[in-house]
Amino acid sequence: YKAGDAQVVFHLGFAPGVIELTGTRLYNPEARPVPGRERPTVDQPVSMVDNGDFSEPLEGNWGMGDGQKLQVTLVSTEVTGYPKGVRLVTSPPPDSQGWSVGFGQRCKAGVRKGDAVYFRAWMRSPDKVRVTFVWEMAEAPNTKGISQMVRLTPEWKEYRFLGRAFQSFGPNETQAKWFLGHDKGTVELAGVRVENYGPATDHAFSETIDYWGGRENPDTWRAPALERIERIRK
């Protein structure tokens, strides 16, 4: 249909009475996430967040924290290509949950069900705190397409996580956030990218999931494990 050739109607003639409506939305899950733009691809992904290089004031998109549980300031970085970053000083209450302190923004672009959503950001923490990155529904029940916790190191490192849109969403219906309520300490971020790659396959991406929680993994377990496989299981 062309614009204006279809309509949305509530038929109300069944019985007398009062009806109240709110939050009415109608959208095509097969439509393009951004009107007038081609579908995202590996070569031309669509950015879902604003000011990921922190070159503009934070108030317009990222926010400035509450001054108590979270303090936010702009800083200079040594990350190639990203001279500016943000410092997050977290002071969560005792026994708090990770989500009790958050930093992020709503995603400006929509996604189609099955689209690949790829997160990349440079991060470090002199206090080696734990952080969880999530891409989730912006409203309850806050179902998550990405949820990965890592323990940061004092050195800058790029972290990369891949998720899939479990349903179609319009602009501002999802959000990208860091949960910072795990530990008290300082976290620095730079070069944040959350992008929609459309129907790209998983093989197009690499991830840095921290299976060891920041602990050293000297790989000494591997040789004995292979020997036991040969001796016991075979």
Side-chain angles (χ1 to χ4, degrees):
Y1 296 100
K2 300 190 301 293
D5 284 354
Q7 61 184 5
V8 178
V9 178
F10 294 91
H11 290 163
L12 307 174
F14 300 103
V18 175
I19 295 174
E20 295 182 344
L21 303 174
T22 186
T24 303
R25 294 176 296 168
L26 181 71
Y27 63 91
N28 178 6
E30 299 302 320
R32 294 172 179 171
V34 180
R37 183 179 295 179
E38 294 298 325
R39 288 280 290 135
T41 65
V42 171
D43 296 325
Q44 292 184 318
V46 172
S47 176
M48 300 178 66
V49 297
D50 288 322
N51 196 24
D53 59 0
F54 303 111
S55 60
E56 301 174 0
L58 299 176
E59 293 89 336
N61 30 65
W62 291 108
M64 294 300 296
D66 61 6
Q68 296 181 346
K69 292 189 295 183
L70 178 63
Q71 299 178 22
V72 183
T73 54
L74 286 170
V75 296
S76 298
T77 79
E78 304 92 37
V79 179
T80 302
Y82 300 103
K84 291 186 178 180
V86 67
R87 177 176 293 145
L88 310 173
V89 180
T90 66
S91 300
D95 301 321
S96 67
Q97 300 295 323
W99 44 260
S100 64
V101 182
F103 177 75
Q105 64 171 272
R106 293 203 177 205
C107 295
K108 64 178 183 179
V111 295
R112 183 185 297 181
K113 183 177 180 180
D115 281 354
V117 177
Y118 194 35
F119 161 83
R120 286 175 288 178
W122 289 85
M123 299 188 282
R124 71 174 179 180
S125 170
D127 305 304
K128 299 183 179 180
V129 304
R130 294 168 295 168
V131 301
T132 299
F133 173 80
V134 301
W135 174 64
E136 62 178 3
M137 297 173 63
E139 304 291 345
N142 299 109
T143 306
K144 293 165 178 54
I146 301 176
S147 179
Q148 293 289 350
M149 183 176 73
V150 295
R151 184 180 294 277
L152 303 181
T153 66
E155 298 77 32
W156 284 108
K157 178 181 177 181
E158 187 184 41
Y159 293 83
R160 304 178 300 277
F161 307 129
L162 175 66
R164 291 280 172 185
F166 50 89
Q167 69 182 65
S168 296
F169 293 101
N172 300 310
E173 292 185 342
T174 64
Q175 60 188 3
K177 294 189 70 175
W178 283 264
F179 290 163
L180 303 165
H182 304 290
D183 305 301
K184 182 178 180 179
T186 297
V187 174
E188 293 185 349
L189 310 175
V192 177
R193 288 172 288 176
V194 183
E195 296 170 307
N196 178 8
Y197 280 74
T201 64
D202 291 357
H203 300 295
F205 308 95
S206 63
E207 295 188 86
T208 52
I209 299 174
D210 182 10
Y211 296 106
W212 299 92
R215 300 187 301 273
E216 288 189 10
N217 171 30
D219 210 29
T220 55
W221 59 272
R222 190 177 301 274
L226 293 174
E227 188 274 331
R228 288 194 301 271
I229 292 173
E230 293 292 334
R231 175 168 47 87
I232 299 173
R233 301 189 65 180
K234 292 186 176 181

